[in-house]
Amino acid sequence: MIAKTLQDMFRRYRRPGDIVFAVIFLAFALFLLSQLGTETKVVKRTKWFAQPALWPTVAIWGMVIFSALHLLSSFLSPRIPGRWKEVGFWLLSLEYVAYFLIYVVAVPWLGYLPSTILFVVFLSIRTGFRSTGVLCLSVVFGVVVAVLFRALLQVNIPAGKLYELLPDSIRVFALTYL
């Protein structure tokens, strides 16, 4: 639809949950602004454009200004019902944060390879992919990711306590590559 007037073109429509998002984002921006003096440095005898604190300061002040404008426009826009339903929908994503935290705790105990395989298979089942082919593909994906990170990219990931129970010849291989 093409706007008929300039007012129609710049009219702002508030979405459910918009004001909650605007308040949270402004609070986060103000928190970052309060930390700016302790987390960045201003170096004496350095030009203003070469200061280490310049771009973080510009970015955070931009966040504060634009989030305040967003909050103001949310207050001035007509309210649409459904705010808490939308916020509840956002909170559903925290389920996956909990899964990731469980994975992070499991890696030092089970090891990177078994934890990754279990995590990928569990997420496949959780998201509704339950066929044998998809689960086998998930296992292959978990193995490829673990071997890629540990063996090829040599990312230093702590070995699991489970590896200590393996026989000596297999344990050395598992600690190095799995």
Side-chain angles (χ1 to χ4, degrees):
M1 180 175 163
I2 298 175
K4 295 178 183 160
T5 65
L6 196 60
Q7 286 84 8
D8 288 338
M9 194 163 113
F10 288 102
R11 179 167 288 140
R12 181 169 180 332
Y13 298 100
R14 187 162 143 194
R15 304 282 182 249
D18 190 34
I19 200 151
V20 176
F21 175 80
V23 167
I24 290 171
F25 199 80
L26 179 60
F28 180 66
L30 289 172
F31 167 75
L32 290 177
L33 184 65
S34 74
Q35 302 302 307
L36 204 56
T38 59
E39 297 296 326
T40 57
K41 301 282 184 211
V42 175
V43 181
K44 294 180 182 178
R45 296 189 202 111
T46 303
K47 296 184 180 187
W48 70 270
F49 56 84
Q51 291 289 338
L54 174 67
W55 292 113
T57 303
V58 169
I60 292 173
W61 272 106
M63 283 176 66
V64 168
I65 291 167
F66 289 114
S67 62
L69 290 173
H70 181 197
L71 182 63
L72 178 65
S73 69
S74 292
F75 276 127
L76 297 177
S77 299
R79 184 177 186 273
I80 296 174
R83 173 187 314 161
W84 295 114
K85 183 179 178 185
E86 181 73 16
V87 172
F89 183 71
W90 296 344
L91 292 176
L92 290 176
S93 65
L94 294 179
E95 171 189 3
Y96 292 92
V97 173
Y99 295 153
F100 180 71
L101 292 175
I102 292 168
Y103 170 72
V104 168
V105 169
V107 168
W109 291 94
L110 299 177
Y112 186 56
L113 178 64
S115 297
T116 303
I117 291 171
L118 287 172
F119 185 65
V120 171
V121 169
F122 171 74
L123 285 181
S124 296
I125 292 169
R126 174 61 187 93
T127 54
F129 298 102
R130 295 179 174 95
S131 69
T132 307
V134 171
L135 294 179
C136 290
L137 191 61
S138 298
V139 170
V140 169
F141 176 77
V143 170
V144 168
V145 166
V147 170
L148 178 75
F149 273 83
R150 285 289 298 240
L152 298 176
L153 297 176
Q154 296 180 349
V155 175
N156 189 13
I157 299 168
K161 296 192 186 301
L162 183 67
Y163 291 173
E164 294 173 7
L165 303 175
L166 296 172
D168 290 340
S169 58
I170 299 174
R171 183 176 59 218
V172 172
F173 177 79
L175 289 173
T176 306
Y177 297 109
L178 304 177

